[in-house]
Amino acid sequence: MNEDKDEGTAIAKLIGMDQWSVVGWVYRWNTGPLAVMWGINGPQRVARCLPDLNDTEKREIDFERLMRIQSRGSG
Protein backbone atom coordinates (compact mmCIF):
# COMPACT_ATOMS: atom_id res chain seq x y z
CA MET A 1 0.00 0.00 0.00
CA ASN A 2 1.10 3.54 -0.71
CA GLU A 3 0.97 5.56 2.53
CA ASP A 4 0.75 8.84 0.57
CA LYS A 5 -2.82 8.15 -0.56
CA ASP A 6 -5.85 6.34 0.80
CA GLU A 7 -5.91 2.73 -0.34
CA GLY A 8 -7.95 -0.26 0.72
CA THR A 9 -7.30 -4.00 0.65
CA ALA A 10 -10.08 -6.59 0.63
CA ILE A 11 -9.74 -8.74 3.75
CA ALA A 12 -12.98 -10.77 3.59
CA LYS A 13 -15.83 -11.72 1.28
CA LEU A 14 -19.43 -11.23 2.43
CA ILE A 15 -21.41 -14.37 1.61
CA GLY A 16 -25.14 -14.15 0.86
CA MET A 17 -27.99 -16.18 2.31
CA ASP A 18 -27.64 -18.84 -0.40
CA GLN A 19 -24.31 -19.70 1.33
CA TRP A 20 -22.18 -19.31 -1.82
CA SER A 21 -22.79 -15.95 -3.55
CA VAL A 22 -20.34 -13.16 -2.83
CA VAL A 23 -22.54 -10.10 -2.17
CA GLY A 24 -19.78 -7.75 -1.00
CA TRP A 25 -16.33 -7.34 0.46
CA VAL A 26 -14.80 -5.94 3.63
CA TYR A 27 -11.89 -3.58 3.00
CA ARG A 28 -9.23 -2.39 5.42
CA TRP A 29 -8.00 1.09 4.57
CA ASN A 30 -4.40 2.13 5.08
CA THR A 31 -5.81 4.86 7.35
CA GLY A 32 -7.13 2.13 9.69
CA PRO A 33 -10.90 1.75 9.39
CA LEU A 34 -12.84 -1.09 7.81
CA ALA A 35 -15.50 -0.49 5.16
CA VAL A 36 -18.03 -2.61 3.27
CA MET A 37 -18.20 -2.50 -0.52
CA TRP A 38 -21.33 -4.05 -1.99
CA GLY A 39 -21.58 -5.96 -5.24
CA ILE A 40 -23.57 -4.80 -8.25
CA ASN A 41 -26.92 -5.67 -6.63
CA GLY A 42 -26.32 -3.40 -3.64
CA PRO A 43 -26.81 -4.25 0.03
CA GLN A 44 -28.09 -7.75 0.70
CA ARG A 45 -28.51 -9.89 3.79
CA VAL A 46 -25.23 -11.54 4.74
CA ALA A 47 -24.94 -15.08 6.11
CA ARG A 48 -21.20 -15.10 6.90
CA CYS A 49 -17.83 -13.76 5.87
CA LEU A 50 -14.80 -15.59 4.52
CA PRO A 51 -12.38 -15.64 6.11
CA ASP A 52 -14.22 -15.06 9.35
CA LEU A 53 -13.57 -11.70 10.99
CA ASN A 54 -12.73 -11.35 14.66
CA ASP A 55 -15.32 -9.88 17.06
CA THR A 56 -13.79 -6.38 16.98
CA GLU A 57 -13.84 -6.30 13.17
CA LYS A 58 -17.44 -7.55 13.11
CA ARG A 59 -18.48 -4.78 15.50
CA GLU A 60 -16.70 -2.20 13.36
CA ILE A 61 -18.74 -3.11 10.27
CA ASP A 62 -21.90 -3.78 12.33
CA PHE A 63 -22.06 -7.39 11.13
CA GLU A 64 -25.25 -8.04 13.14
CA ARG A 65 -27.03 -5.37 11.05
CA LEU A 66 -25.65 -6.86 7.82
CA MET A 67 -27.27 -10.17 8.80
CA ARG A 68 -30.67 -8.42 9.08
CA ILE A 69 -30.73 -6.42 5.83
CA GLN A 70 -34.03 -6.75 4.01
CA SER A 71 -33.50 -7.51 0.32
CA ARG A 72 -35.20 -5.28 -2.23
CA GLY A 73 -38.74 -6.39 -2.91
CA SER A 74 -38.97 -8.52 0.25
CA GLY A 75 -40.86 -5.78 2.18
Side-chain angles (χ1 to χ4, degrees):
M1 272 193 230
N2 182 344
E3 297 300 323
D4 294 333
K5 62 181 180 177
D6 291 345
E7 291 184 345
T9 301
I11 62 167
K13 297 174 186 174
L14 298 174
I15 306 300
M17 296 307 290
D18 64 6
Q19 299 294 325
W20 64 270
S21 295
V22 176
V23 298
W25 299 264
V26 178
Y27 277 79
R28 180 176 308 282
W29 291 92
N30 64 336
T31 54
L34 298 180
V36 171
M37 185 177 97
W38 295 106
I40 194 164
N41 293 319
Q44 297 182 45
R45 186 178 294 172
V46 173
R48 59 194 172 108
C49 50
L50 289 175
D52 197 17
L53 300 174
N54 66 42
D55 290 342
T56 301
E57 292 167 328
K58 286 181 179 178
R59 278 192 301 276
E60 185 173 340
I61 64 167
D62 199 358
F63 190 73
E64 291 293 322
R65 183 183 58 82
L66 300 181
M67 293 174 63
R68 294 189 309 269
I69 290 175
Q70 294 296 314
S71 298
R72 293 179 192 162
S74 66

